[in-house]
Short mmCIF file of all heavy atoms in Angstrom, two decimals:
data_model
loop_
_atom_site.label_atom_id
_atom_site.label_comp_id
_atom_site.label_asym_id
_atom_site.label_seq_id
_atom_site.Cartn_x
_atom_site.Cartn_y
_atom_site.Cartn_z
N SER D 25 8.40 2.40 -20.97
CA SER D 25 8.31 2.32 -19.52
C SER D 25 7.31 1.24 -19.09
O SER D 25 7.44 0.67 -18.00
CB SER D 25 7.92 3.67 -18.92
OG SER D 25 6.65 4.08 -19.41
N GLU D 34 6.20 -10.83 -24.04
CA GLU D 34 4.84 -10.43 -23.68
C GLU D 34 4.44 -9.09 -24.30
O GLU D 34 3.30 -8.64 -24.12
CB GLU D 34 4.71 -10.35 -22.15
CG GLU D 34 4.83 -11.71 -21.48
CD GLU D 34 4.90 -11.64 -19.96
OE1 GLU D 34 5.32 -10.59 -19.42
OE2 GLU D 34 4.55 -12.64 -19.30
N ILE D 38 0.77 -7.16 -24.50
CA ILE D 38 0.62 -5.85 -23.87
C ILE D 38 0.01 -4.86 -24.87
O ILE D 38 -0.89 -4.08 -24.53
CB ILE D 38 1.98 -5.34 -23.36
CG1 ILE D 38 2.44 -6.18 -22.17
CG2 ILE D 38 1.92 -3.86 -22.97
CD1 ILE D 38 3.88 -5.97 -21.77
N ASP D 39 0.49 -4.89 -26.10
CA ASP D 39 -0.05 -4.00 -27.14
C ASP D 39 -1.54 -4.26 -27.35
O ASP D 39 -2.33 -3.32 -27.54
CB ASP D 39 0.70 -4.19 -28.45
CG ASP D 39 2.12 -3.63 -28.40
OD1 ASP D 39 2.41 -2.79 -27.53
OD2 ASP D 39 2.95 -4.06 -29.24
N VAL D 41 -3.68 -5.47 -25.14
CA VAL D 41 -4.42 -4.98 -23.97
C VAL D 41 -4.59 -3.47 -24.04
O VAL D 41 -5.68 -2.93 -23.81
CB VAL D 41 -3.70 -5.38 -22.66
CG1 VAL D 41 -4.40 -4.76 -21.45
CG2 VAL D 41 -3.65 -6.89 -22.51
N MET D 51 -14.82 4.30 -27.79
CA MET D 51 -16.19 3.93 -28.16
C MET D 51 -17.14 3.90 -26.97
O MET D 51 -18.35 3.82 -27.13
CB MET D 51 -16.17 2.56 -28.86
CG MET D 51 -15.27 2.51 -30.08
SD MET D 51 -15.16 0.85 -30.80
CE MET D 51 -16.85 0.62 -31.34
N LYS D 55 -15.49 -4.46 -24.09
CA LYS D 55 -14.76 -5.40 -24.94
C LYS D 55 -14.60 -6.71 -24.18
O LYS D 55 -14.07 -6.74 -23.06
CB LYS D 55 -13.38 -4.82 -25.30
CG LYS D 55 -12.36 -5.83 -25.79
CD LYS D 55 -12.72 -6.44 -27.14
CE LYS D 55 -11.65 -7.44 -27.60
NZ LYS D 55 -12.01 -8.06 -28.89
N THR D 57 -12.87 -10.42 -24.06
CA THR D 57 -11.73 -11.14 -24.61
C THR D 57 -11.99 -12.64 -24.66
O THR D 57 -12.99 -13.14 -24.14
CB THR D 57 -10.47 -10.90 -23.77
OG1 THR D 57 -10.57 -11.65 -22.54
CG2 THR D 57 -10.28 -9.43 -23.44
N PHE D 59 -10.41 -16.48 -23.48
CA PHE D 59 -9.95 -16.94 -22.18
C PHE D 59 -8.47 -16.61 -22.00
O PHE D 59 -7.65 -16.84 -22.91
CB PHE D 59 -10.17 -18.45 -22.03
CG PHE D 59 -11.61 -18.83 -21.87
CD1 PHE D 59 -12.39 -19.13 -22.98
CD2 PHE D 59 -12.20 -18.89 -20.62
CE1 PHE D 59 -13.73 -19.48 -22.85
CE2 PHE D 59 -13.54 -19.24 -20.47
CZ PHE D 59 -14.30 -19.53 -21.59
N VAL D 65 -4.00 -12.61 -17.10
CA VAL D 65 -4.91 -11.89 -16.20
C VAL D 65 -4.13 -10.88 -15.38
O VAL D 65 -4.54 -9.73 -15.21
CB VAL D 65 -5.66 -12.88 -15.28
CG1 VAL D 65 -6.39 -12.13 -14.16
CG2 VAL D 65 -6.65 -13.71 -16.09
N GLY D 76 -10.94 3.69 -12.09
CA GLY D 76 -10.73 4.57 -13.23
C GLY D 76 -11.89 4.50 -14.19
O GLY D 76 -12.88 3.79 -13.98
N ALA D 80 -11.49 -3.57 -15.59
CA ALA D 80 -11.44 -4.95 -16.07
C ALA D 80 -12.05 -5.88 -15.04
O ALA D 80 -11.78 -5.76 -13.84
CB ALA D 80 -10.00 -5.36 -16.36
N ASP D 106 -22.73 -11.30 -19.03
CA ASP D 106 -21.94 -10.47 -19.94
C ASP D 106 -20.70 -11.18 -20.48
O ASP D 106 -20.10 -10.72 -21.45
CB ASP D 106 -21.51 -9.17 -19.24
CG ASP D 106 -22.68 -8.27 -18.91
OD1 ASP D 106 -23.63 -8.23 -19.72
OD2 ASP D 106 -22.65 -7.62 -17.85
N SER D 115 -19.79 -37.00 -21.57
CA SER D 115 -20.03 -38.29 -20.93
C SER D 115 -19.21 -39.36 -21.63
O SER D 115 -19.11 -39.38 -22.86
CB SER D 115 -21.51 -38.66 -21.00
OG SER D 115 -22.30 -37.67 -20.39
N LYS D 126 -4.93 -34.29 -20.17
CA LYS D 126 -4.15 -34.17 -21.40
C LYS D 126 -4.86 -34.81 -22.59
O LYS D 126 -4.70 -34.37 -23.73
CB LYS D 126 -2.76 -34.78 -21.22
CG LYS D 126 -2.76 -36.29 -20.95
CD LYS D 126 -1.35 -36.82 -20.80
CE LYS D 126 -1.36 -38.33 -20.57
NZ LYS D 126 0.02 -38.87 -20.42
N VAL D 128 -8.20 -34.94 -23.04
CA VAL D 128 -9.25 -34.01 -23.45
C VAL D 128 -8.63 -32.84 -24.21
O VAL D 128 -9.10 -32.46 -25.29
CB VAL D 128 -10.02 -33.49 -22.23
CG1 VAL D 128 -11.15 -32.55 -22.67
CG2 VAL D 128 -10.60 -34.65 -21.42
N LEU D 132 -9.33 -31.74 -28.21
CA LEU D 132 -9.84 -30.43 -28.58
C LEU D 132 -8.89 -29.71 -29.53
O LEU D 132 -9.31 -29.14 -30.54
CB LEU D 132 -10.06 -29.58 -27.32
CG LEU D 132 -11.19 -30.04 -26.40
CD1 LEU D 132 -11.18 -29.24 -25.11
CD2 LEU D 132 -12.54 -29.91 -27.09
N ILE D 145 -11.04 -27.28 -17.74
CA ILE D 145 -11.56 -28.63 -17.96
C ILE D 145 -11.66 -29.28 -16.58
O ILE D 145 -10.66 -29.41 -15.88
CB ILE D 145 -10.62 -29.45 -18.87
CG1 ILE D 145 -10.49 -28.76 -20.25
CG2 ILE D 145 -11.11 -30.88 -19.02
CD1 ILE D 145 -9.39 -29.35 -21.12
N SER D 148 -15.56 -34.39 -12.82
CA SER D 148 -16.48 -34.51 -11.70
C SER D 148 -17.24 -35.83 -11.80
O SER D 148 -18.02 -36.02 -12.74
CB SER D 148 -17.45 -33.33 -11.68
OG SER D 148 -18.34 -33.42 -10.59
N PHE D 164 -18.19 -27.18 -30.51
CA PHE D 164 -17.81 -28.23 -29.55
C PHE D 164 -18.81 -29.37 -29.57
O PHE D 164 -18.44 -30.54 -29.66
CB PHE D 164 -17.74 -27.63 -28.14
CG PHE D 164 -16.53 -26.79 -27.87
CD1 PHE D 164 -16.48 -25.46 -28.24
CD2 PHE D 164 -15.42 -27.32 -27.22
CE1 PHE D 164 -15.37 -24.68 -27.99
CE2 PHE D 164 -14.31 -26.54 -26.96
CZ PHE D 164 -14.27 -25.22 -27.34
N SER D 189 -13.09 -27.18 -9.47
CA SER D 189 -12.12 -28.27 -9.38
C SER D 189 -11.80 -28.55 -7.91
O SER D 189 -11.72 -27.63 -7.09
CB SER D 189 -10.83 -27.89 -10.12
OG SER D 189 -9.81 -28.83 -9.86
N GLU D 195 -0.58 -23.22 0.25
CA GLU D 195 0.23 -22.00 0.31
C GLU D 195 1.54 -22.26 1.05
O GLU D 195 1.56 -22.95 2.07
CB GLU D 195 -0.56 -20.90 1.02
CG GLU D 195 0.16 -19.56 1.10
CD GLU D 195 -0.67 -18.50 1.81
OE1 GLU D 195 -1.62 -18.00 1.18
OE2 GLU D 195 -0.38 -18.22 3.00
N SER D 216 17.15 -30.68 -5.60
CA SER D 216 18.38 -29.93 -5.84
C SER D 216 18.24 -29.08 -7.10
O SER D 216 17.46 -29.40 -8.00
CB SER D 216 19.56 -30.89 -5.99
OG SER D 216 19.45 -31.61 -7.21
N GLN D 221 17.46 -28.45 -13.04
CA GLN D 221 18.01 -28.12 -14.35
C GLN D 221 17.85 -29.28 -15.33
O GLN D 221 17.50 -29.09 -16.50
CB GLN D 221 19.47 -27.74 -14.22
CG GLN D 221 19.70 -26.41 -13.53
CD GLN D 221 21.17 -26.11 -13.30
OE1 GLN D 221 22.03 -27.00 -13.39
NE2 GLN D 221 21.48 -24.86 -12.98
N LYS D 265 12.74 -8.25 -1.23
CA LYS D 265 13.97 -8.92 -0.86
C LYS D 265 14.25 -8.83 0.63
O LYS D 265 13.84 -7.88 1.30
CB LYS D 265 15.15 -8.32 -1.64
CG LYS D 265 15.14 -8.64 -3.13
CD LYS D 265 16.43 -8.19 -3.79
CE LYS D 265 16.50 -8.63 -5.24
NZ LYS D 265 17.79 -8.24 -5.87
N GLY D 279 0.25 -31.22 -5.90
CA GLY D 279 1.02 -32.38 -6.30
C GLY D 279 1.90 -32.89 -5.19
O GLY D 279 1.89 -32.38 -4.10
#
Side-chain angles (χ1 to χ4, degrees):
S25 61
E34 293 172 335
I38 291 168
D39 289 340
V41 175
M51 303 175 65
K55 161 67 179 179
T57 74
F59 288 91
V65 169
D106 293 324
S115 302
K126 64 179 181 180
V128 182
L132 292 172
I145 299 170
S148 180
F164 284 83
S189 171
E195 182 180 285
S216 70
Q221 290 175 345
K265 290 188 174 183

